[in-house]
Amino acid sequence: MADVIAVIGAAGAAGREVLQVLAARGTGVERVRALETEVQRGDALTYGDDHEVPLVKLADFDFAGVAIAIFAGLPAIARVHGPRAAAAGAVVVDMTGAYRSIDGVPQALVPVNPRALRAWSRHRAVACPPAAAVAIAMALKPLHALVPVTALSATVLQSVSGAGKAAMDELFDQTKDIFIGNRRDPEQFPKQIAFNVIGAEADDAATGRTREEHEIAGAIGALLGPAIAARIITAQVPVFIGDSIALSVTFERAIDPAAAWAALHDDRDLAVTAPVPGGEADQDAATTPVEIVGEAPVYVSRLLSDRSDARTLDLWIVADNLHRGQALTAVEIAETLLRDHLTPRLGSTPEA
C-alpha cells in the first residue's frame, strides 16, 4: 500500500503517543507498522480502543511499500535506519533531532510553516522542531502576523517525558523511594529529579548554553523567520508531561495588548485562558501542565504588558510536549505529505 505509515521506536513514550494520535485521527490499523530494536515473539501495542498492532523488529523490516517512516526513538537509530527507509522509497519524519542539522532538510510545523514541506524531496526527510519550539512558534504566529517579532527570550520548564519513558520511570521511582526512605543514584538525570529542579549543563563553553537551547532557538528562526533573535534557557522539573514556558517578546513597534489578546484568541490552535488586558483578574486563568495532558492547543494563561516598553509583551504558555509538541506535530506532517505532496506512487516527486 502506498499510504503505509511505519512508527520506529513505537514502544517508547513518544512512539506510543504517535500510535494513539494516528488511531484517534482515523488511520486504519492495517496502514500502520510498529517497529522496535528489540522485540519478543507476540509483542504488540494497543492501537485505539479496539485494536493491537504487532511489534516488528527494526533490523528485519523491509521498508518497501512504506510511504512515511516516523522516527520516534533515539537519534542514533534514525541516523542508521532513516537513510535505509528513504532508499526504499519512504519519506522520513524525524522526531529524534537527528535530521535537524542536515542542510536541506526542512523543519516544519503544519500550523505555522506548511510550505516548508515542499523541500521534502532533497533528502526524502522532514525534521520535527523541538517541542518547546513548537509551543513558542504556535503562540507567536498570530502575534508575528499582527506586528513582526524581532526578539524573544524564553525560560522553558521541561517535563521529564521529553527525555523518554525511562526518565518518567525514574521520576516515579525516586518520588516513591523518598517517601519510604530509600535512596538510589540517578541514572537518567545528572541529579535527583524528584522534588527538585535541574538546570541544564552547558555544551557550548563560549555561550554557556546547551545544544538543545541552541536547537530551540534555531527552530524558531526556521519556523517564523531567521531575523528573530531568540535566547533560550531550559530546566528540568519534576512534572511527567507538559512544558511551561515564560516568554518575553519584543516587537518591531508598539503593540496594543488588547489587540494581541484578540489575535491569540482568534487562533484556533491556541487556547487563551488569560483575561483580557485591563479586565478583571481570573483565578482560573493560570493553566497548569496537569490540566492539559492530551490536549492539542497551546495554552496562553498570562499576557502581560510592559509599562516601560510598549514594544514588549510577556506570556506564560503551557503545552503537552508529548502530544502537541511531538506526536501530533509528526502526524500532521505525515498527513500533509500524503495529501498534498506525494502521489500514490512511492518515489514520486512533489506536486507542482
Side-chain angles (χ1 to χ4, degrees):
M1 295 178 65
D3 58 355
V4 168
I5 299 174
V7 181
I8 299 89
R16 288 174 186 265
E17 191 68 23
V18 170
L19 291 177
Q20 294 312 305
V21 171
L22 286 169
R25 292 168 77 89
T27 305
V29 67
E30 73 281 354
R31 292 178 53 201
V32 176
R33 306 291 182 268
L35 312 180
E36 266 297 348
T37 53
E38 298 296 331
V39 177
Q40 301 296 321
R41 178 176 294 182
D43 282 352
L45 296 172
T46 300
Y47 190 78
D49 295 329
D50 305 314
H51 298 283
E52 287 188 336
V53 58
L55 270 175
V56 179
K57 190 170 183 178
L58 175 59
D60 300 334
F61 185 73
D62 182 358
F63 282 95
V66 171
I68 305 289
I70 299 177
F71 281 81
L74 297 173
I77 302 299
R79 293 187 187 103
V80 172
H81 294 278
R84 187 166 73 86
V91 180
V92 171
V93 177
D94 176 49
M95 298 167 59
T96 73
Y99 278 72
R100 288 182 199 137
S101 60
I102 299 177
D103 184 42
V105 173
Q107 284 197 67
L109 176 59
V110 170
V112 175
N113 69 332
R115 291 186 177 183
L117 292 176
R118 295 176 179 177
W120 68 268
S121 61
R122 181 172 177 183
H123 293 279
R124 299 194 68 86
V126 177
C128 297
V134 168
I136 292 169
M138 287 179 64
L140 289 185
K141 180 188 69 170
L143 300 179
H144 190 50
L146 184 65
V147 179
V149 174
T150 59
L152 67 91
S153 63
T155 300
V156 182
L157 305 181
Q158 296 177 305
S159 69
V160 297
S161 58
K165 184 178 182 299
M168 297 172 75
D169 291 342
E170 180 155 295
L171 172 58
F172 178 84
D173 291 338
Q174 280 185 2
T175 304
K176 181 178 63 177
D177 286 346
I178 288 170
F179 274 114
I180 62 178
N182 287 344
R183 295 287 179 182
R184 70 176 82 183
D185 292 332
E187 297 179 359
Q188 302 300 316
F189 297 101
K191 297 183 179 181
Q192 173 187 311
I193 183 60
F195 303 100
N196 201 12
V197 175
I198 304 174
E201 296 182 359
D203 299 316
D204 183 345
T207 65
R209 299 189 188 277
T210 69
R211 184 181 68 177
E212 183 179 26
E213 289 165 346
H214 283 303
E215 284 191 349
I216 294 169
I220 292 167
L223 297 174
L224 292 171
I228 297 175
R231 301 193 313 276
I232 310 295
I233 187 167
T234 62
Q236 206 84 52
V237 295
V239 172
F240 284 104
I241 297 173
D243 290 348
S244 302
I245 303 172
L247 182 59
S248 183
V249 188
T250 301
F251 297 87
E252 188 175 80
R253 58 183 183 273
I255 185 167
D256 176 30
W261 184 93
L264 292 165
H265 186 267
D266 289 344
D267 192 302
R268 66 179 184 177
D269 295 311
L270 304 177
V272 180
T273 58
V276 179
E280 294 185 6
D282 184 351
Q283 296 301 317
D284 294 327
T287 307
T288 65
V290 170
E291 299 168 77
I292 54 85
V293 172
E295 295 286 331
V298 173
Y299 281 74
V300 181
S301 62
R302 297 191 75 188
L303 177 63
L304 312 172
S305 59
D306 187 338
R307 293 180 179 178
S308 65
D309 185 356
R311 297 185 305 124
T312 298
L313 290 176
D314 296 326
L315 296 85
W316 181 261
I317 61 177
V318 182
D320 183 331
N321 60 297
L322 200 59
H323 180 77
R324 171 64 269 179
Q326 297 184 53
L328 183 55
T329 293
V331 171
E332 287 176 339
I333 290 170
E335 291 175 341
T336 305
L337 285 170
L338 288 169
R339 184 185 67 241
D340 299 338
H341 298 276
L342 303 179
T343 69
R345 290 177 55 85
L346 293 180
S348 63
T349 55
E351 297 178 357

